[in-house]
Amino acid sequence: MLDIKFIRENPELVKKGIESKNENSRVDEVLQLDKQRREILVVSEELKAKRNQVSQDVGKLKKAGQDTSAIVAEMKEVSDKITEYDKKLNTVESELNELLMYIPNIPHSSVPIGRSTEDNVEVRRWLPEEFSFEQNEKVYDHIELGKKLRILDFKRGAKISGSGFPVYLGKGATLERALINFMLDYHLHNHGYSEVFPPFLVNRDSMKGTGQLPKMEEDLYFIDKDGLFPIPTAEVPITNLYRNEILNENDLPIKLVGYSACFRREAGSYGKESKGFLRVHQFNKVEMVKFVKPENSLNELENLVNDAEDILKALQIPYRILMLCSGDLSFAAAKCYDIETWSPAEKRWLEASSCSTFGDFQARRANIRYRNESTKKLEFVHTLNGSGLATSRLMVSLLENYQTPEGKIIVPKVLQKYTGFNIIE
RNA sequence: GGAGAGAUGGCAGAGUGGUUGAAUGCGGCGGUCUUGAAAACCGUUUAUCCUUUGGGAUACCGGGGUUCGAAUCCCUGUCUCUCCGCCA
């Protein structure tokens, strides 16, 4: 969430930021509640100071054997007043906090202002040497390939779970597993990350910490019986590793990478987007998470994108990088790059990764701080995360780009030692 | 699932109604001593909020209550540990 002091001091900036995200600005309500809160607080604290003083005196007087009944009676009234003011304070404070939890992060100043995906800015693209957009005029799409090679089964997935729960079969399952292991190893050995294998179910506090809750509850699965949420991304458990903790400055940046299955309800998103792998309820993802010093946040974001890109270069899959405009930024993000891979069958780019810095937005919610050794103060870290990458969309591009004219799949070179085979036919 | 125990500062661990924000030990930081280091000794070491910048308030797992006054008493929730049962 945003710092209430920052909102108090920069209301116009905050309003503009929120509106540029196409979100409803409720800054005036926040300021109103904040003002109320402080007014009540002052009165309550004055009364408490009095109570503390007199209560101590009562103790002393009693020890000295003196009668205190008059004072005690008077203090009873003060005490009642305190209760009254604290109740008011409580109401106002919880309203304020609730409201603050719904206020999105504001875009970083380097983010282009825009309304929708159309205003995103393509930063760069990378294509394998022999690649051309025209060469693949006649191609099978990933669904046809999956069916033909008996490596993907969407129908049976729908039978056992529902639509959007794909089943990987045979060499398809092996390929998926190889892809995950390859990506993990790559980040571990080449990019200096440490591996985490997180829980796939998390509690409400964790979901609030990274900002999925309270706003996006509709998009989450929820296990009512135990009060647990299946994670929509490993970002949630991994970022929350350090919730309510104080990190050593020397340990920063902390760079973690982890695999998880991801579960998303994708409420209300039916239609052509939903065929095959393009939008599913369960998919696999390797996620990178960083905890960094505030001044390094933007730099670390660039590195994060590069780390994700390296995977695609190694796999020789065409991709492009977009800087998201303000209107396309997610609730918690301050700045974000999407990586899109090319689908020859769809003849369009598919989002396979999203790399964001959240500034101190998540850190403030999750209370993740570090001791700044030069100022000796506790400060919030900045958190970043990026997919490195999501296998489902990546698999679409991989299968389609690596198909032969006969509809076989060549296994990318770097994956062959993980799969143990070099062709799927 | 059954029975019991517990939750206090970075850690360990006292404290069972009145200067206790919290003894003591360890750790950390600063200093004395030393050629240097260790040891020893001395000192220091929580955070958040409000503020008329003097100061004030809050917090001993969370929430509620009793009381003039709660780390301390009562209720409740959560979590952890031990034993038994079940089990990949």
Side-chain angles (χ1 to χ4, degrees):
Chain A
M1 68 187 144
L2 296 180
D3 185 2
I4 181 66
K5 274 188 216 151
F6 183 80
I7 301 179
R8 204 185 286 151
E9 284 157 19
N10 307 282
E12 289 313 312
L13 185 77
V14 173
K15 272 187 213 174
K16 271 191 192 140
I18 295 171
E19 280 156 17
S20 77
K21 268 191 163 184
N22 301 330
E23 298 247 16
N24 202 0
S25 153
R26 298 177 67 185
V27 172
D28 288 332
E29 289 172 68
V30 169
L31 292 174
Q32 178 58 31
L33 285 168
D34 177 53
K35 196 175 155 214
Q36 265 185 50
R37 183 186 87 90
R38 284 183 296 158
E39 282 166 4
I40 300 169
L41 190 62
V42 169
V43 179
S44 165
E45 286 190 354
E46 277 168 5
L47 289 170
K48 281 176 184 169
K50 183 177 181 189
R51 180 182 68 184
N52 289 346
Q53 183 55 50
V54 175
S55 289
Q56 270 185 20
D57 294 345
V58 168
K60 285 179 195 159
L61 288 172
K62 277 198 172 171
K63 261 187 192 158
Q66 299 199 25
D67 177 47
T68 55
S69 53
I71 308 178
V72 166
E74 193 199 331
M75 279 302 105
K76 174 97 181 129
E77 276 178 41
V78 172
S79 221
D80 288 346
K81 255 190 205 163
I82 292 175
T83 310
E84 191 187 313
Y85 275 100
D86 276 354
K87 259 189 194 136
K88 269 192 226 168
L89 186 63
N90 242 322
T91 314
V92 172
E93 250 174 14
S94 52
E95 273 176 49
L96 177 60
N97 286 337
E98 176 73 5
L99 195 52
L100 278 176
M101 291 296 274
Y102 279 94
I103 303 278
N105 199 1
I106 57 176
H108 185 266
S109 55
S110 58
V111 169
I113 303 296
R115 293 212 65 79
S116 68
T117 50
E118 315 212 331
D119 300 316
N120 294 340
V121 177
E122 183 173 325
V123 180
R124 60 182 171 272
R125 61 173 66 181
W126 182 93
L127 309 171
E129 267 174 37
E130 313 264 304
F131 178 85
S132 80
F133 288 102
E134 294 75 29
Q135 75 186 2
N136 297 320
E137 275 309 322
K138 233 187 92 206
V139 290
Y140 298 106
D141 68 28
H142 74 282
I143 301 173
E144 294 164 336
L145 289 167
K147 200 169 185 179
K148 191 168 138 76
L149 298 167
R150 291 193 301 274
I151 54 173
L152 298 174
D153 195 332
F154 295 98
K155 252 195 172 152
R156 290 200 175 93
K159 175 172 70 181
I160 56 182
S161 301
S163 80
F165 289 91
V167 181
Y168 301 76
L169 297 171
K171 287 186 173 172
T174 307
L175 182 64
E176 175 78 358
R177 184 159 53 84
L179 200 50
I180 293 164
N181 280 331
F182 162 70
M183 292 191 288
L184 281 172
D185 283 347
Y186 201 94
H187 293 308
L188 289 178
H189 300 139
N190 302 309
H191 298 145
Y193 289 79
S194 302
E195 186 166 0
V196 180
F197 200 146
F200 291 0
L201 302 181
V202 300
N203 57 32
R204 192 168 281 275
D205 284 343
S206 295
M207 283 296 184
K208 281 186 182 169
T210 31
Q212 279 74 21
L213 288 179
K215 231 190 147 175
M216 274 77 80
E217 183 141 16
E218 277 306 293
D219 293 320
L220 298 171
Y221 286 101
F222 180 55
I223 299 166
D224 193 33
K225 197 172 178 184
D226 301 288
L228 294 169
F229 297 84
I231 55 173
T233 156
E235 158 196 351
V236 179
I238 296 178
T239 306
N240 277 282
L241 269 180
Y242 298 119
R243 177 151 47 84
N244 291 326
E245 291 195 28
I246 295 167
L247 306 173
N248 288 324
E249 184 173 5
N250 292 338
D251 293 337
L252 302 178
I254 296 174
K255 298 165 68 174
L256 303 173
V257 63
Y259 155 78
S260 87
C262 301
F263 304 91
R264 301 186 179 180
R265 291 189 64 228
E266 303 292 354
S269 61
Y270 294 97
K272 63 177 178 177
E273 267 292 304
S274 63
K275 73 174 179 183
F277 265 141
L278 297 183
R279 193 173 294 279
V280 287
H281 293 305
Q282 179 185 327
F283 61 96
N284 295 311
K285 184 156 62 71
V286 168
E287 184 78 1
M288 302 174 283
V289 175
K290 293 203 220 183
F291 303 84
V292 308
K293 289 196 261 182
E295 63 266 31
N296 297 334
S297 185
L298 287 183
N299 239 333
E300 294 283 4
L301 176 61
E302 300 299 323
N303 296 338
L304 187 65
V305 179
N306 291 335
D307 291 344
E309 286 181 74
D310 282 350
I311 297 287
L312 294 172
K313 285 179 185 162
L315 289 170
Q316 297 278 302
I317 292 177
Y319 68 86
R320 65 172 187 172
I321 310 286
L322 299 178
M323 188 183 338
L324 297 198
C325 73
S326 60
D328 206 23
L329 279 181
S330 68
F331 179 75
K335 183 172 185 177
C336 178
Y337 292 101
D338 273 3
I339 303 178
E340 299 184 332
T341 57
W342 180 252
S343 161
E346 298 285 318
K347 303 218 182 306
R348 63 187 178 108
W349 300 96
L350 303 176
E351 180 188 336
S353 173
S354 202
C355 299
S356 314
T357 175
F358 301 90
D360 63 6
F361 189 82
Q362 290 182 329
R364 182 169 273 113
R365 287 180 162 233
N367 193 29
I368 306 170
R369 295 174 296 174
Y370 77 104
R371 173 89 53 189
N372 184 322
E373 293 300 341
S374 51
T375 63
K376 297 289 171 199
K377 298 255 178 175
L378 288 175
E379 294 176 8
F380 290 107
V381 299
H382 279 199
T383 57
L384 297 90
N385 68 58
S387 0
L389 306 86
T391 60
S392 48
R393 305 269 177 79
L394 179 56
M395 187 63 87
V396 173
S397 288
L398 193 157
L399 294 178
E400 291 178 1
N401 280 292
Y402 274 89
Q403 64 183 301
T404 66
E406 309 79 50
K408 301 176 181 179
I409 308 291
I410 311 282
V411 177
K413 263 223 170 61
V414 291
L415 290 184
Q416 288 177 9
K417 69 172 177 185
Y418 289 91
T419 53
F421 51 81
N422 51 27
I423 192 160
I424 302 175
E425 52 194 339

